[in-house]
């Protein structure tokens, strides 16, 4: 799953935003599951990048909802 910047997120349609958000949340749950089971994540920085991307998508959805 790719990490998206704010400009890229702004270009997505509403349906694409929903799909990407669902995929990223699933990936975050899987990553956190590995960590909580005692394993080490393959790329620890990836978890924070996923969280930031989820925040970017949520922010864009709120902008569209309130505009």
């Amino acid at each position: 799953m790719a990490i998206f910047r704010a400009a890229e997120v702004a270009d997505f349609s509403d349906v694409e935003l929903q799909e990407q958000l669902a995929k990223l949340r699933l990936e975050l749950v899987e990553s956190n599951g590995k960590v909580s089971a005692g394993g080490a994540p393959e790329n620890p920085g990836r978890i924070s990048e996923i969280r930031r991307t989820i925040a970017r998508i949520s922010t864009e959805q709120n902008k569209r909802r309130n505009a």
Side-chain angles (χ1 to χ4, degrees), residues 1-43:
M1 177 59 52
I3 298 299
F4 303 109
R5 300 295 169 218
E8 296 170 326
V9 170
D11 293 337
F12 287 154
S13 70
D14 291 338
V15 174
E16 288 175 320
L17 286 176
Q18 288 283 53
E19 291 173 358
Q20 294 299 329
L21 187 62
K23 288 178 186 176
L24 286 167
R25 284 187 171 154
L26 180 63
E27 186 176 346
L28 183 61
V29 167
E30 290 173 355
S31 296
N32 285 336
K34 287 180 186 176
V35 172
S36 66
E42 294 175 13
N43 185 356

